[in-house]
Amino acid sequence: MNVEIFSDVVCPWCYLGRARFAAAVRSFGGQVDVAWRPYQLDPDASAGGLMSESLAEKFGGPDRVAEAHARMRELMAAEGLPYAPEKALRANTRDAHRVIALADEAGVQDAVVGRLFQAHHAEGRDLNDHGTLAELAAEAGLAGVGERLAAGEGDAAVTAQLEVARGVGVTGVPFFVFEGTWAVSGAQSREFFENALAEVAAKIA
């Protein structure tokens, strides 16, 4: 079964959704080939500063943000995910998506996606920095990223895939597309994903 997951690295619900979907796949037991596709929640985001500061400006102050972080921290803990949102740095994720596109070519895409998620949401790493992206990618099995980013590699792939997202009608993430036909939106529960996998498997059998 083929599943495309549209996501953005700075999206905590995408980080959570990856863990829940992975757990469902393990329970499902069948062959599931996952392809990660780009989506930018804020394509004009500027680099620098803390995510919490920009969220406070957008959503009504630091107290509101702290409440949201506390709720999300409980959900992350239930999935065993490290989470330190107070460390997260503001980032334009275009280059991170370029790295993910390059990882797809090398067959290590899911590992790279997981490493980037953790780096942003738990470690406060700077995903605007090419050196940091190269280091994180290497840790997940993809070497030579710094030179490839400098050469512009991955940019055309991200542009094309962002157009696909618009064509599919993706307006929020995570967004899961099963076999190019059936879609699920949001970081649903593991049980929900298990049922979805079973239903799609029955349809394509």
Side-chain angles (χ1 to χ4, degrees):
M1 184 189 308
N2 296 310
V3 181
E4 293 177 285
I5 306 176
F6 293 84
S7 77
D8 199 1
V9 178
V10 296
C11 167
W13 290 104
C14 297
Y15 182 37
L16 183 66
R18 176 180 179 270
R20 289 177 170 176
F21 185 73
V25 169
R26 289 192 296 271
S27 177
F28 172 66
Q31 179 66 35
V32 179
D33 296 319
V34 173
W36 289 89
R37 304 302 187 209
Y39 184 86
Q40 285 193 281
L41 291 170
D42 185 1
D44 299 317
S46 58
L50 293 172
M51 286 286 292
S52 294
E53 293 173 351
S54 58
L55 291 173
E57 294 174 5
K58 187 174 182 180
F59 295 115
D63 290 344
R64 296 284 291 276
V65 173
E67 291 172 5
H69 284 341
R71 290 194 297 272
M72 185 62 72
R73 203 184 305 273
E74 292 180 3
L75 296 174
M76 297 291 186
E79 303 300 330
L81 293 173
Y83 186 57
E86 66 280 353
K87 295 181 180 179
L89 300 175
R90 194 161 41 210
N92 188 303
T93 54
R94 176 84 185 198
D95 286 341
H97 285 306
R98 291 171 61 200
V99 174
I100 293 167
L102 296 174
D104 190 18
E105 299 172 5
V108 292
Q109 193 183 44
D110 189 67
V112 168
V113 168
R115 187 67 192 95
L116 293 177
F117 271 138
Q118 182 170 324
H120 175 77
H121 293 284
E123 300 170 8
R125 303 292 294 276
D126 184 3
L127 300 189
N128 303 288
D129 180 70
H130 283 192
T132 299
L133 289 172
E135 179 183 339
L136 296 169
E139 291 173 8
L142 181 66
V145 162
E147 295 82 358
R148 299 180 71 182
L149 288 175
E153 292 189 46
D155 198 60
V158 170
T159 297
Q161 290 171 6
L162 288 171
E163 284 298 322
V164 170
R166 280 187 279 271
V168 171
V170 180
T171 57
V173 286
F175 191 84
F176 302 75
V177 180
F178 296 74
E179 288 291 320
T181 303
W182 299 281
V184 170
S185 181
Q188 304 291 341
S189 68
R190 184 190 68 185
E191 292 77 16
F192 184 99
F193 283 130
E194 288 173 355
N195 290 334
L197 289 164
E199 289 179 16
V200 172
K203 289 178 184 295
I204 65 176

